[in-house]
Amino acid sequence: MMRNLPALIIIFPLVSALLSVFLSKISLYLGRNLVITSIFISLALSIVQLREVIINGPISYKFGNYAVPYGIEFKIDTINAIMLVMICIIGLLTGLFSTNFEENSKDRIKIGGSHALIALLCVGMLGMTSTGDVFNLYVFLEVTSLSGYVLIALGGSKGVVSAFRYLLIGTVAATFYLLGVAMLYSVTGTLNMQDMHDILSSRANDDTMLIAMCMFIAAFGIKMALFPFHGWQPSAYTHAQTGARPLIAGVMGKIPAYAMFRYLYCVYGTEFKYFRYFLIVIGALSVMGMIYGSVRAMAQTDIRKMLAYSSVAQISYITLGFAIGTPIAIAGSFLHMFGHAFMKGGLFFASGSIRYKYGIVDMNDFGYIYKKMPLTSALLSISALSMIGIPPTVGFFSKWYLALGAAGEREYIYIAILVISSLLNAIYFFKMIEKIFMAKDRDLKPIGRDSVMELPWTMMIPIVISILMILGLGLFNVKIINILLMSLGGIGI
Amino acid sequence: MRKVLAIITLVIILLIPTFLFDGIMPSIGDPNSAPNTHVSDYYIENSVEMTNSPNMVTGILADFRGFDTMFETTVMFLAGLGAVLILSNRPNIKKRFIIPRNYIKQRPNIGAPRYKTINKDVMITLFEPLMMIYAAYVYFHGEISLGGGFQAGAVLGLAYIIDVMIVPGRRKKLFALDKGNALSIGGIGTFIYALTGILTMTGGGLCLEYDKLPFGLSHAESHSAGILMIELGVTICVMATIITILNAIMGRVRFDDDPIKRREDA
Amino acid sequence: MTSLETFLAAKGIYFLTFLLLFLGLYGMITCGNYMKKLICMNIMQVAVIFIFLCLAQKDGGTIPVLFSNLRNAEDYINPLPHALMLTAIVVSMGTTGVGLALLTRIKEKYGSIEEDEIIERENK
Amino acid sequence: MPSLFLEAVLLLILIGITLTIIFGKDLLTVTIVYCSFSFVTMFLYIVMGAPDVAFTEAVIGVVSTIYFIMTLKTIRRHTK
């Protein structure tokens, strides 16, 4: 059992997703409940695994017990162990949250199937995070993207068109990724990341590596919606299925960012000849993305679209940390990754709840919502404050570590951009807070569903846990940074 | 404007391969190039003994890199699930931009098909069993010669497609699967694959370590049994998925000889 | 080996394959019709498969199925890219299936699969 | 290795087919031409020494062509 932890974390949601449609035919909610239970089991297992990794060091799991470059290997260090926990938490919360959006539907395939998609999205992301094999990463990338396309397409007619555009551009990204793998394979002859790193550092082949890295940046840039490649993202996040939106917007963009980190630092390594130039390129893209995303977000009134554009800016903070390249900045960008998953997930939980209760998405109608839905507006304000970077929340600390790292490298322009971007964030998030607390009362009528509480309990749990995680990650930031630094030393930064 | 842009793109795209990708790949057919030496030699020399499968591609696909194949099968299931879910709801007829015309009144009655030189039913009844036998051959013979689970499943799916498409709705079907059932079967097929992984773990091994299958077999037998088990899962999943996607798309197509009732609910 | 063969092995085949890949990309960018975009997407994926299979070729090697009289590593071509590309083909087929399902929905809602018409109707 | 000539010729045919697809106006023609594309691809796989991949491509070519033609029944045939 303990030996097989890395495989079991993936296999539980996989099996539940596969059986979900079949079980829904037997009993209406059986498949759905099985999916939620299995993600919960995965969460428990991943916490156990995190403890194991912190105590005993990195785990290497070999499928089929074949020696390393010949079979597929999973490599778990503290960074991806924490990421697995994050994916499982958001996946579980999303699974609970999206149960509310299908009450009226009696279509068995739809109820079982949409939860199976959430589980498969989790499976794809869990696999992408933990794998140590470049081709295995491609297969998981495709699992993630396919379930993403379908979840976006389920959000209605506009969702279908944006899903189709995402499918086209996402497949181009996957093809570029495969092309990069082909180039690296042509100079190394292996597919294992660690083995590849050893061969690449002994056998310099700079031209091929240069072009392969361009391919990887384009591929992962498209998948995570980095600035010039972000075209598909705003409409896709806006029109995705309401129940699954926290998972799509909160986590789906961050896993390719982690994969890019693996390629930059684990496969290529700092001794690569053109390494500095790549950092400069990524830094420039991040800076442009931060300004562009914030400026575009200011112009929106639809809360979903505003949050989508703000994601373009926020993903750039993460890549900015990679571009600075010191351990403390990278740890800061990982902290921002975890924090932003809960902030953006929380904002989408809150906006989804408001839509569930009153059927509105325009911020101009949010007047007096704090009296009608106190907990939801608490989540909205706390996440907004965290996005801006007000001290007790996690947003402040991640930006603080990023700025510390930039100061250590004497990259003062990055600090200036961080401050400017935070101010722009403040402009549009204070606009939202103002609409919640000060706008005129619109006399909103709840649509249809009466309940004693503010919301059904399956929606309250995600909201409460998001608030707790945003504050908790902020309060215990030193601990998390220390855990992250443990592994960063092992990678050799 | 658009044409000029298109031509500029074409020129750039023709220039990229000439300059950017010039001389970065190893020469084709060089036995000493990196991809042909490092891992490849190990597979060629050892895979037949280690996996008991004379076809090295199947050995690698199903044994060394079996975990990849598990998720390849999952992708197939996911594609079927996605097609069914996307096509499970229709846009509201009033919100469509172009409301489909009802062709019933305009269409003249074609009557029975005029070409009667070949009796298609006989041809179909002749072809389908042959295809299915061939699929079974491909499945069981996959480790020894070409083929494997995927191809067998696709051939089975093609037999179904021929059965459905040539004479729709006129003859009793070979086996009828609606899209919900086909989807469930696809899920179960992939589950068989995952179950193999779980069985090896309960036998005390790592995931997909066929030596530890709890059947009490020798090394060679257990590898063959493991490969056959996962190929069975792949076969079922691929067959069911091909049928699922076909059914999902076909549910929206209006054929010339459809009964009238089905057109009006469209 | 003639000079043409040397040229083909070193550059020619790769050049043609990359040309195919970028022609597919060109089609995806310029075609206004979504169905043609989907087909060009398939062409791109096929081109990448060619590149992998080019890497697998070996002079004097035969297909990677065991023959009893051949035992050495240089007698067989590299089987690993073949296994990888089987996976890639299946994945591309899955993507095509989902894409076609999306296309059917788009046609039902917007009555067209031309990009400019859809953009025009989307903003109505 | 004489097979390189064959590969080059087949690749040239594929490029021609691709140009036909990009500049074609009738979607049914495009689909049928795409079917021939996957047929030529299958030959190319065999020449490259990958019969397993060729077998898969042969089957997939048929299945995806059928899907394309089925979808085409719901879609207007001529492009702009």
Side-chain angles (χ1 to χ4, degrees), chain A residues 3-4 15 61-66 70 109-110 117 120 123 133 135-136 146 183 186-187 189 195 208 211, chain B residues 20-21 24 34-35 38-39 42-43 63 65 67-68 71 75 78 85 89 180 191 201 204-207 209 223:
Chain A
R3 258 175 89 208
N4 287 318
V15 166
Y61 186 84
K62 303 178 190 69
F63 283 91
N65 209 4
Y66 289 112
Y70 310 117
I109 297 178
K110 228 173 166 181
L117 282 174
L120 284 173
V123 167
D133 187 282
F135 193 79
N136 199 234
L146 265 177
M183 285 170 187
S186 77
V187 290
D195 197 28
T208 313
I211 293 173
Chain B
L20 200 54
F21 297 110
I24 57 164
H38 178 47
V39 180
Y42 178 86
Y43 281 140
D63 204 338
R65 303 186 69 85
F67 196 65
D68 266 354
F71 286 91
V75 167
L78 188 50
L85 283 182
N89 40 8
F191 175 68
M201 282 195 260
L206 299 173
C207 184
E209 188 183 359
H223 274 271

